[in-house]
Amino acid sequence: KNPSSFNQSTMAVAAGKRAATALIAATLITATTAFHIPKNQLLPDAGLRSAAANDSSAFSSDIPTPILEGGSTKAIRLRKQLQEIWNDPTNTSPIILSGPNGSGKSKLAEEIVYQLPSWQTKIVHRLTLDDGIDFLDTILGTASHPGLFDDLSVQANTTLVLKGFQSQHVDSKDSLDRRGELIDVLDTMVTKGQFYSTYENSTKAFLPRIVGCTQRPPQYFTERCGKHLNATFIKVPSFEQRKSDIQAIAAAKIKLLERKFGLTNIELSKEGRQRLLDHRWEVDGDSELDSELYNGLQLLASEKKWNPFATDSLEPRHLLVNAYDETIRKRLLYDIPFLRNVIMSPWVFGKTLTYIVTPVFILVNLILFLGPQTREENAALTIFWAGWWPGIMLVFPFLGRIWCTVCPFMAVGNIAQETATNMGVQLKKWPSWAKESGPAFAFGLFYAILMWEELWNLPQSGALSACLLLLITSGAVVNSVIYEKRLWCRYMCPIGAMNKMFATLSMTEVRTFKSNCEGCTTAECINGGSPTVAHDNYALKGCTMDLKNNQLRDMGDCVMCMSCVANCQRESPEFNLRPLGQDYGLPWLLPKSIQSSENMALSQVETNFWLGGIVCILQGSVLLHFLPKILTDFGMDPTIATVGPALDTAFATHTMLAFAILGFPGGLSFIADTAAVPLESSVKVLKRQLTRTPAENAAIKTLYESMLKQNVDVSAAIQEWDQDGDGTVSDWEVKEAFKLLDIPEYEYGLLFNLLGKEEGRTVSSLFDDIQELYFDVQEAQRGSVSLAATFKNQMSGNDFETKLTFVEIFNRLDKDGNGFLSKDEFLAMSKEGYFKKPLSEEELNDLFYQADVLGIGRLNLFEFMSILRKNVKIGIQEIGYGYLPLAWGSLTAYWLGLGMQELGLTLVRVPSTFNVWISQGFRDSIPQYVFDTSTIHAVQVSVMLVSYIASVALTQKLCDDNRIGPVRFGTHAVTQSIGAAITLYLMLSPEAIVSAYR
């Protein structure tokens, strides 16, 4: 590309057109001299050092040798393969480097050329194929003038370095054809050592040695010439596959770069190495690493100018400072090193549970049983209801489920488990039913507890409150002496289920990246037993929740016990500060119009219907505390809310009202969602009827049915739409696909208008759009019947039991691999357990015949996906988690109100708790803190407004993730508005401030 570096003396230049050809070729080719490295440095177990390291100004994007550093089997194999090439100076066969983009193929090609015999490298030409498309005639020649390859073909002392296409994308059909022509010529040169000269109209031998870089696998070339291809293939692994070598590669690159900034002996710190290992080197790993180290050394050099005590090492603050994953996280264990020392202490959390939490829990229960039975006289009861509830609600956004780590229920459970194992009890593995049925059990138990709390007025009964604590403790103890670790906490505890959901909003995380675990065989983070925690019996057991930290999708299950941090000798697990609710994808709190699409990650939270139900009954529990006010507003007797257990009508009424109010938020959202699904479909149909012309409808039918009529498998169909193989569909590819499908040309414009123009649209996304348009046309043509049919269809929708995509299910069902599903293969779908509600044979037959539009007795992928999208519903739990911020806000606002009223009275209630008489004067001197009503209301309004806005935003995000339209989202947004308004109305009612905290 650089004309000044082109050595014209290396090429015989003729007059006239030959001179013009060479001049253009000069923009494509660079002749260079080689750096020669002593071959004794290239032994398989030795590192490489470039002679360029002696150059104090050395830096370029083509640093040759560091890519070969490292002690992994892949690095050793690479070095052995290169050594074999250099040990055979008479071999002139092509050398093909095959690997993904960013694996360093170009640098390895340069390294190979530098070490080839001098008689082969008197002239070295480099050709980048991306540029070659624009100068195809110059390279290949024409009938009237020779090309570059004509001149090179007779030069046996030449090496041709071919740098493959950096992108599969092309801008037009003409460019695709030109690229194909160039690829065909290069394939023949590599596989047969021949070149067809258009100028001479004959096939001639191509004598230069070829060193090529490609993303194509070796099979591509062997298929073209047979199994006996005379070429050397070197498979170059990606950076993601060479995580264990990155430290060595980075160290070698640092040595090449440091002198440019006046630095010497710069090392990569342990934390810096971890930062590089955590990063995803997916796009162009080698060049990205060069850039990051260059920028890091530049930052370090600037730091040393004003700080003479700065370390001679690259720290995390110098590396990947602009990477998205780094800008949204603060790695607390690196930035605040003493935190690791705190975590390693046996008092965090083992001894704390044994020597502090358990005795305090026993003492509290004794006070609740034996002390006064009302909050006005019992300090322990006050702390339980006015302190614990607001405290735990405020902890969730900051530390997630950390309460579960210091939970007294499981503290007693741990003691019971240790006692049982010391007595020789063999603890069982976790049963499979726990994951399936545990959330439903937790929901049912929570519902029962909330009913018990209301009907027996637990907040005003010390003994019953203690019974509630002991009930949950008994569940923990029973499970602990039967099953290993903490089965109760993970799946069955009602408080744990609540904590699990709110923890997904946490601003902190304990997370390990898989790359840091490469080569680990002990899994001490899960199993425990690390020598680093020999003094800590709690951490020695490993992860209390039996989690694989590097596979966590969200923070719902992690209780932040830090056992993985304490056990891992590599120090891989990290404790990070992150944005609020990152598990749901970011930035969901910002307006959609200003969000960056590349940062809009999909939600990673694994939803569950029963856990979503707990969110709803928690909102209902807040309303239930205002039952006297609700009864008054409806003209009923408010004293019903105070009726205790009795076999009479009043208590039965109280029970039914409590049950209904707890279920009201969930019932309202479920009814709204049930109504919104068919309404959304009907609105969509109506919109299509009003906005689409008959000609457009006909064009969509023609397109879709033409796709169905093709007797090709799925991969061939996809190839028709993505001809350049870049995974996206350009306008010219759509047009070419129309031609292949025999779509009338007059319909092109109509279809382009309907499908729209979208940069980077994938093939699957385009297929989805076409399917949706086609079914809209079908429903619209049914006329007035469509509303009823759509409602019936959606109401009978089923749920998927599996997390597999439609394509994955299709491939699994296609047993013979022919790209189609026969009727028998389709009917096997229900037997495979994909549906939560197994379908009968008759129902599956109906589905099959609905999908088999052409009546040929088999389905292709388009038909399969279309019928499933119309019959498998997206469960409400996918949207229901959008109510999570509102549920948190309602609970927090309510319990903060109680805490601001009563928690400040705890000290003055201590004497009565222990039945100690004190004078009125001394009682008056005890500090008392009670907030006025206006302050309480101001706090409650602020919490509710923030949580309401967050709830609507999160619901919008979840609807976008699941391709749910505006009608269904709007229905839930209105439902949330109603819920927030009712809750605020009750909280701000003057007469409710007393009755709500009865």
Side-chain angles (χ1 to χ4, degrees):
K1 294 184 181 181
N2 185 359
S4 64
S5 64
F6 176 64
N7 185 353
Q8 290 190 358
S9 64
T10 65
M11 180 180 293
V13 182
K17 294 181 179 179
R18 290 287 297 277
T21 300
L23 182 60
I24 298 175
T27 66
L28 297 175
I29 304 165
T30 305
T32 67
T33 58
F35 291 110
H36 289 286
I37 306 172
K39 293 187 180 180
N40 59 9
Q41 295 186 19
L42 296 171
L43 296 175
D45 58 347
L48 296 175
R49 293 290 183 270
S50 172
N54 297 321
D55 180 4
S56 61
S57 62
F59 175 75
S60 73
S61 60
D62 287 326
I63 302 172
T65 55
I67 197 68
L68 286 170
E69 293 283 356
S72 71
T73 55
K74 294 181 176 63
I76 293 173
R77 183 170 62 249
L78 277 177
R79 292 196 289 267
K80 284 183 177 180
Q81 289 177 309
L82 265 62
Q83 189 70 64
E84 290 171 359
I85 292 172
W86 295 323
N87 287 341
D88 188 2
T90 61
N91 191 351
T92 60
S93 63
I95 302 168
I96 306 301
L97 299 164
S98 172
N101 188 30
S103 57
K105 299 187 300 292
S106 296
K107 294 179 181 178
L108 284 179
E110 298 299 331
E111 183 69 23
I112 290 171
V113 172
Y114 297 156
Q115 296 291 339
L116 287 177
S118 57
W119 70 268
Q120 293 182 10
T121 57
K122 288 184 179 180
I123 304 172
V124 178
H125 297 279
R126 294 169 178 81
L127 176 61
T128 300
L129 301 189
D130 286 312
D131 297 327
I133 295 177
D134 298 327
F135 300 94
L136 193 63
D137 290 343
T138 304
I139 296 171
L140 302 183
T142 65
S144 58
H145 65 80
L148 171 64
F149 287 171
D150 285 294
D151 293 317
L152 294 181
S153 63
V154 297
Q155 300 178 23
N157 62 351
T158 298
T159 296
L160 175 62
V161 180
L162 298 173
K163 298 188 177 181
F165 295 103
Q166 298 301 302
S167 170
Q168 296 283 351
H169 178 76
V170 295
D171 295 325
S172 66
K173 181 66 165 62
D174 180 62
S175 295
L176 180 66
D177 293 339
R178 293 168 67 85
R179 186 176 78 177
E181 184 179 354
L182 178 59
I183 289 174
D184 288 339
V185 171
L186 296 176
D187 285 348
T188 304
M189 290 165 53
V190 170
T191 58
K192 299 180 180 179
Q194 296 175 342
F195 162 67
Y196 176 77
S197 172
T198 304
Y199 179 70
E200 298 180 11
N201 193 25
S202 64
T203 300
K204 53 198 296 188
F206 191 80
L207 300 182
R209 190 166 196 184
I210 297 174
V211 179
C213 303
T214 180
Q215 296 184 44
R216 298 181 184 274
Q219 294 83 351
Y220 170 83
F221 297 94
T222 56
E223 288 173 359
R224 292 196 162 217
C225 71
K227 297 182 179 179
H228 304 291
L229 175 61
N230 185 26
T232 301
F233 286 97
I234 299 177
K235 186 177 180 181
V236 185
S238 67
F239 264 43
E240 284 294 303
Q241 296 172 313
R242 295 188 61 190
K243 283 299 183 90
S244 60
D245 294 331
I246 283 184
Q247 181 179 9
I249 294 172
K253 289 179 181 289
I254 290 171
K255 293 301 178 185
L256 292 174
L257 297 173
E258 59 184 11
R259 295 185 184 180
K260 180 177 178 62
F261 303 99
L263 303 172
T264 56
N265 299 323
I266 300 301
E267 296 180 350
L268 187 65
S269 70
K270 179 176 66 175
E271 292 80 7
R273 174 186 64 84
Q274 202 81 358
R275 183 66 57 90
L276 295 181
L277 286 174
D278 292 348
H279 186 61
R280 294 190 293 271
W281 306 94
E282 295 176 334
V283 181
D284 191 356
D286 189 45
S287 297
E288 187 180 3
L289 181 58
D290 283 345
S291 176
E292 291 299 338
L293 293 176
Y294 184 90
N295 294 335
L297 290 168
Q298 193 173 42
L299 287 174
L300 180 60
S302 300
E303 186 177 305
K304 279 182 166 290
K305 289 180 180 178
W306 60 266
N307 181 11
F309 301 104
T311 61
D312 290 329
S313 60
L314 286 178
E315 303 292 339
R317 65 179 179 275
H318 302 127
L319 300 169
L320 298 161
V321 293
N322 295 317
Y324 177 67
D325 282 346
E326 303 304 323
T327 58
I328 64 173
R329 280 186 173 90
K330 183 175 179 62
R331 306 189 181 218
L332 300 178
L333 295 182
Y334 295 154
D335 297 335
I336 312 175
F338 80 87
L339 270 181
R340 188 178 294 276
N341 296 330
V342 173
I343 290 171
M344 296 300 290
S345 168
W347 284 95
V348 182
F349 292 93
K351 291 187 177 181
T352 299
L353 288 170
T354 303
Y355 300 117
I356 298 178
V357 173
T358 302
V360 169
F361 181 61
I362 294 172
L363 178 62
V364 167
N365 275 278
L366 289 174
I367 295 173
L368 292 175
F369 268 118
L370 304 177
Q373 293 298 295
T374 63
R375 289 205 307 272
E376 289 74 13
E377 296 179 321
N378 194 321
L381 196 58
T382 301
I383 293 174
F384 178 25
W385 291 101
W388 180 83
W389 268 105
I392 193 174
M393 297 309 300
L394 292 175
V395 164
F396 287 134
F398 302 100
L399 293 171
R401 281 189 75 171
I402 199 168
W403 163 256
C404 292
T405 295
V406 295
C407 169
F409 311 138
M410 207 59 214
V412 178
N414 285 336
I415 294 175
Q417 192 172 72
E418 290 179 4
T419 303
T421 53
N422 290 336
M423 294 173 62
V425 175
Q426 293 295 321
L427 300 179
K428 298 180 181 179
K429 298 290 184 180
W430 290 1
S432 58
W433 56 260
K435 185 176 182 179
E436 303 292 333
S437 306
F441 174 84
F443 171 82
L445 182 56
F446 215 146
Y447 212 120
I449 288 173
L450 292 174
M451 290 284 292
W452 184 23
E453 174 192 329
E454 167 65 21
L455 299 176
W456 271 261
N457 197 14
L458 263 62
Q460 286 290 1
S461 172
L464 290 178
S465 295
C467 288
L468 171 60
L469 298 178
L470 294 178
L471 171 68
I472 302 176
T473 303
S474 65
V477 170
V478 170
N479 278 270
S480 295
V481 298
I482 298 175
Y483 301 107
E484 61 184 15
K485 297 194 175 183
R486 297 174 65 168
L487 172 70
W488 172 261
C489 301
R490 184 164 178 183
Y491 292 122
M492 306 179 72
C493 176
I495 303 299
M498 176 186 72
N499 297 351
K500 173 185 173 75
M501 292 178 298
F502 288 135
T504 58
L505 300 171
S506 172
M507 296 171 61
T508 52
E509 65 176 4
V510 178
R511 194 63 59 88
T512 302
F513 295 89
K514 288 185 179 180
S515 55
N516 295 331
C517 302
E518 186 177 343
C520 176
T521 58
T522 58
E524 292 169 338
C525 57
I526 306 171
N527 303 322
S530 171
T532 60
V533 292
H535 58 293
D536 187 349
N537 290 333
Y538 179 80
L540 202 61
K541 299 175 184 178
C543 179
T544 58
M545 303 291 276
D546 201 36
L547 298 172
K548 294 182 179 179
N549 189 273
N550 61 10
Q551 296 180 15
L552 290 182
R553 293 178 57 182
D554 57 61
M555 284 302 295
D557 286 323
C558 178
V559 297
M560 294 192 179
C561 66
M562 301 297 173
S563 293
C564 56
V565 176
N567 273 282
C568 182
Q569 299 183 63
R570 297 186 179 192
E571 299 185 356
S572 294
E574 300 177 358
F575 180 46
N576 302 326
L577 185 66
R578 62 179 191 171
L580 186 71
Q582 187 186 352
D583 288 339
Y584 292 93
L586 290 171
W588 57 270
L589 278 173
L590 299 178
K592 191 175 179 181
S593 58
I594 66 172
Q595 294 180 31
S596 177
S597 58
E598 61 268 21
N599 291 341
M600 283 296 292
L602 294 177
S603 170
Q604 297 297 307
V605 176
E606 187 173 358
T607 59
N608 181 275
F609 178 84
W610 296 108
L611 295 182
I614 290 179
V615 174
C616 295
I617 63 173
L618 286 172
Q619 289 180 277
S621 71
V622 175
L623 302 181
L624 190 55
H625 285 289
F626 296 92
L627 183 56
K629 169 64 177 171
I630 295 173
L631 293 173
T632 301
D633 287 350
F634 279 92
M636 299 176 67
D637 183 4
T639 60
I640 294 176
T642 61
V643 173
L647 295 176
D648 55 24
T649 304
F651 180 69
T653 304
H654 189 187
T655 302
M656 289 187 292
L657 286 172
F659 186 88
I661 291 176
L662 280 177
F664 172 74
L668 181 63
S669 62
F670 183 80
I671 292 172
D673 187 75
T674 302
V677 172
L679 179 62
E680 182 164 70
S681 180
S682 301
V683 168
K684 187 185 298 183
V685 170
L686 182 61
K687 179 181 177 182
R688 298 302 185 193
Q689 289 175 325
L690 296 175
T691 60
R692 189 177 298 149
T693 65
E696 289 173 328
N697 290 339
I700 281 294
K701 287 192 66 177
T702 301
L703 173 60
Y704 188 76
E705 291 175 3
S706 297
M707 293 167 65
L708 296 181
K709 290 176 183 177
Q710 285 188 298
N711 191 26
V712 296
D713 61 17
V714 175
S715 60
I718 291 176
Q719 190 174 5
E720 290 179 351
W721 292 86
D722 181 22
Q723 296 190 20
D724 61 6
D726 66 345
T728 62
V729 184
S730 304
D731 289 344
W732 70 266
E733 290 175 303
V734 174
K735 188 174 181 180
E736 291 300 317
F738 288 166
K739 292 179 182 178
L740 292 172
L741 294 168
D742 296 325
I743 304 298
E745 194 168 342
Y746 66 86
E747 291 186 346
Y748 287 7
L750 296 173
L751 290 171
F752 271 115
N753 182 54
L754 290 172
L755 295 173
K757 292 187 177 182
E758 180 182 334
E759 292 293 331
R761 177 159 54 183
T762 63
V763 181
S764 59
S765 175
L766 177 65
F767 287 172
D768 283 346
D769 292 340
I770 294 173
Q771 292 160 13
E772 186 174 353
L773 287 169
Y774 177 76
F775 273 94
D776 286 345
V777 172
Q778 293 293 86
E779 291 189 27
Q781 290 182 345
R782 296 192 187 107
S784 60
V785 182
S786 64
L787 294 179
T790 300
F791 181 80
K792 182 179 179 181
N793 188 17
Q794 296 291 351
M795 284 295 291
S796 63
N798 204 341
D799 289 312
F800 262 140
E801 184 71 29
T802 178
K803 296 294 183 183
L804 296 175
T805 65
F806 288 150
V807 175
E808 290 172 322
I809 295 172
F810 181 90
N811 291 334
R812 290 193 178 194
L813 294 174
D814 183 17
K815 300 297 184 182
D816 55 12
N818 66 350
F820 299 93
L821 294 185
S822 66
K823 183 179 177 181
D824 290 338
E825 289 174 327
F826 182 81
L827 295 179
M829 181 164 51
S830 186
K831 298 177 182 177
E832 295 288 341
Y834 293 131
F835 291 112
K836 287 188 176 179
K837 298 177 182 177
L839 301 180
S840 67
E841 186 172 344
E842 181 182 359
E843 290 171 325
L844 281 171
N845 271 319
D846 288 343
L847 280 182
F848 183 83
Y849 290 124
Q850 288 179 45
D852 187 15
V853 179
L854 302 179
I856 59 177
R858 64 181 189 180
L859 308 180
N860 62 22
L861 178 62
F862 311 121
E863 296 167 313
F864 178 76
M865 292 176 63
S866 298
I867 200 63
L868 287 189
R869 287 193 184 283
K870 302 304 291 184
N871 288 276
V872 179
K873 66 182 181 181
I874 297 173
I876 189 176
Q877 68 267 22
E878 303 290 349
I879 315 168
Y881 274 52
Y883 288 74
L884 201 57
L886 185 59
W888 175 86
S890 301
L891 286 165
T892 303
Y894 171 78
W895 290 111
L896 273 177
L898 177 59
M900 295 171 74
Q901 274 196 325
E902 293 193 23
L903 191 60
L905 301 175
T906 303
L907 290 178
V908 79
R909 294 174 179 177
V910 170
S912 60
T913 301
F914 296 99
N915 198 23
V916 176
W917 181 88
I918 59 172
S919 65
Q920 186 61 41
F922 184 74
R923 178 184 295 273
D924 293 339
S925 67
I926 298 175
Q928 302 180 42
Y929 303 97
V930 179
F931 290 85
D932 59 80
T933 302
S934 61
T935 302
I936 294 174
H937 284 171
V939 171
Q940 289 176 325
V941 169
S942 300
V943 171
M944 285 297 299
L945 286 178
V946 171
S947 63
Y948 165 71
I949 294 171
S951 203
V952 173
L954 181 55
T955 303
Q956 172 73 78
K957 174 65 170 58
L958 295 176
C959 285
D960 288 344
D961 287 353
N962 291 284
R963 301 189 67 183
I964 293 171
V967 174
R968 199 170 173 189
F969 159 69
T971 303
H972 282 281
V974 170
T975 303
Q976 291 169 349
S977 302
I978 294 172
I982 292 175
T983 304
L984 272 177
Y985 164 74
L986 294 174
M987 287 182 179
L988 301 182
S989 300
E991 66 272 30
I993 195 67
V994 176
S995 63
Y997 303 117
R998 63 191 189 282

